[in-house]
Amino acid sequence: MPPVTLCVSAEDSGLLAELVTEYIATWGGARRELDDDEVSFVASLSQESHPQLAGWVAIADGYPCGCVLLLPGYSAESVELAKLFVLPAYRRLGVARVLVETAHAWSREHGYTRAYLIVQDVREEAISLYQRAGYKDTVVTPIEGYVEMCIRLGE
């Protein structure tokens, strides 16, 4: 695997917006601009005052190749892992694993005890990645065609 650098700062928020837009184009249909919530989230990444939100851009070979976001969860103790995306050329190299592990570490450091995510049920590779990371299916199916998964964040 190429060395992966994880970063987020005011200047990196543009990279994160680019990758979130790519994620939306890949998994959400036609390419579109970020919606207001996504724009607000990306803008908030450089503000220390919003500890419930975090995001990382993976840089490999000097190129932004992946991202992950953490959003507020169902409760004060939980976060949602969202918009995990790795460009096709960098898949199956461990980039997604590094992003997930980083998000989990940040969550534990900030006192969160549980993380959950929602994934399309046809995304078998993604589901397999989440299972290897320790996620389990919940009994909740929020939207037809999707699976909700959850993990208890250990010490």
Side-chain angles (χ1 to χ4, degrees), residues 16-52:
L16 189 56
E18 240 179 80
L19 287 163
V20 169
T21 302
E22 185 69 27
Y23 170 94
I24 290 165
T26 302
W27 300 111
R31 183 173 296 279
R32 66 169 174 80
E33 295 295 314
L34 298 179
D35 67 28
D36 290 343
D37 288 338
E38 292 158 339
V39 169
S40 295
F41 177 80
V42 170
S44 76
L45 291 174
S46 61
Q47 300 172 4
E48 293 293 321
S49 63
H50 212 310
Q52 275 194 306

Side-chain angles (χ1 to χ4, degrees), residues 27 90 125:
W27 300 111
Y90 292 90
E125 284 186 25

Side-chain angles (χ1 to χ4, degrees), residues 27 119-125 127 145:
W27 300 111
V119 61
Q120 291 174 319
D121 60 9
V122 297
R123 296 198 47 219
E124 293 173 8
E125 284 186 25
I127 291 170

